[in-house]
Amino acid sequence: MTDDEDRLRRGLRDLAQGDAPAGGAMGVETLLAKGRRARAHRRGAAVACAVVLTVAGAGLGLRATGPGPRTPDSRASVAAAPADQPLELGPAVARIGVGYPYDLVRSCGLRFAVFDGSKWVTDTDLASTIALRGDRVSGSMTLVSKDVARFEMGSGSLKETADFHRVSGGGHCPLLPPANPAKPPVLEQSPANAVEGFWYPHDLIVHCGLRFAQFDGRWWVTVRDYAKETGIDGSGRYVFVTGFIRKTGDRAQFDSPGLKPIEFRPAKDGEEPPVCS
């Protein structure tokens, strides 16, 4: 409490008890004037503190207000994701009602997914509302029911959702139509001229074991033996594995739900897949 405020309180108490000094009305005016000065002093101090806090907040990047209007730049910042990381595709077997980190690949216009051991497609055109940047859009995928999975990204005014439906067969990437629409392929096969750094849906044929892959118009071979850690050993338990493949320089990487990334190198002369039944 300031000295002025203390004197004001004592003066008002004396007036109430009849102990005010001579010149009653003038004494009251004097006390009120002092009160006004005290209040002005407090308001000035409060304003000064607000200015200091505002400047400090600006320097620290603080925001006291809610999100601003939705702009293309703000949408793009949500859609961006690190391109040097493996894809987030969730587990091989998902639980209903549990959200898993998930990446939709850009090469399929955000309409194709591999999740819960199956292929999924959506009719929602996320690409028209999200500013695409990089090779993927990150969010979460939740198994809503046996045949419906929901992808969500962002929050508040930036939140986007899309419901995916379980499908079988191949040729579901809308930007990679089958050569003959009347006879769609059984498997998902990536293009013969793949763009470096982009993920493409791919069914890796493994009935002879996890060793070779045909991608980007040529054969590739694994950089090491992945049979023990994947359980894919050519025993016939797996015929093909669905996932995504991407080339970077002289390497190709295959990602699939529940598996660690599998790395390939270009096959050398004489390296060919074995003949097996």
Side-chain angles (χ1 to χ4, degrees):
M1 183 182 297
T2 65
D3 292 339
D4 284 340
E5 288 176 305
D6 187 52
R7 286 194 296 271
L8 176 61
R9 289 180 180 276
R10 288 201 303 272
L12 290 173
R13 185 173 62 250
D14 292 341
L15 283 173
Q17 295 174 353
D19 298 327
M26 183 60 70
V28 171
E29 283 297 320
T30 301
L31 288 172
L32 292 177
K34 290 182 177 181
R36 285 192 291 269
R37 287 196 299 273
R39 286 195 300 272
H41 176 76
R42 288 197 303 272
R43 283 197 300 269
V47 169
C49 288
V51 170
V52 170
L53 288 174
T54 300
V55 172
L60 294 172
L62 302 177
R63 281 185 65 186
T65 60
R70 185 168 180 166
T71 65
D73 287 342
S74 64
R75 294 203 313 273
S77 65
V78 173
D84 59 343
Q85 298 295 322
L87 290 177
E88 291 281 4
L89 299 175
V93 179
R95 296 172 55 189
I96 292 179
V98 178
Y100 299 94
Y102 196 88
D103 293 329
L104 288 180
V105 298
R106 179 180 176 183
S107 61
C108 289
L110 312 182
R111 289 191 173 184
F112 179 85
V114 177
F115 180 64
D116 187 41
S118 296
K119 305 168 186 178
W120 303 74
V121 295
T122 182
D123 293 328
T124 303
D125 187 8
L126 286 173
S128 66
T129 59
I130 297 173
L132 296 178
R133 201 180 273 181
D135 62 354
R136 74 195 78 179
V137 169
S138 299
S140 68
M141 188 77 84
T142 303
L143 194 62
V144 178
S145 66
K146 179 183 176 181
D147 295 316
V148 177
R150 181 165 298 145
F151 177 78
E152 295 182 326
M153 61 158 290
S155 61
S157 63
L158 295 177
K159 189 173 184 179
E160 298 285 353
T161 64
D163 283 353
F164 284 75
H165 302 276
R166 198 186 297 262
V167 293
S168 60
H172 296 294
C173 180
L175 302 184
L176 298 174
N180 184 354
K183 296 180 180 180
V186 176
L187 302 177
E188 298 289 345
Q189 292 293 287
S190 43
N193 297 303
V195 176
E196 184 165 325
F198 274 73
W199 292 96
Y200 295 95
H202 192 77
D203 284 330
L204 192 63
I205 301 172
V206 295
H207 68 281
C208 290
L210 177 56
R211 181 64 173 159
F212 289 88
Q214 194 169 32
F215 169 57
D216 193 38
R218 54 180 168 168
W219 284 104
W220 300 72
V221 62
T222 55
V223 298
R224 60 183 177 83
D225 186 1
Y226 290 91
K228 184 176 293 186
E229 63 186 86
T230 62
I232 303 172
D233 55 6
S235 62
R237 179 183 176 190
Y238 295 93
V239 176
F240 64 89
V241 179
T242 297
F244 298 91
I245 196 166
R246 173 188 67 178
K247 69 172 181 176
T248 305
D250 62 351
R251 287 290 187 270
Q253 181 176 310
F254 178 80
D255 285 9
S256 181
L259 293 180
K260 292 183 178 180
I262 298 169
E263 192 174 357
F264 291 83
R265 61 167 174 80
K268 300 176 182 178
D269 291 341
E271 286 184 320
E272 297 179 356
V275 178
C276 62
S277 57

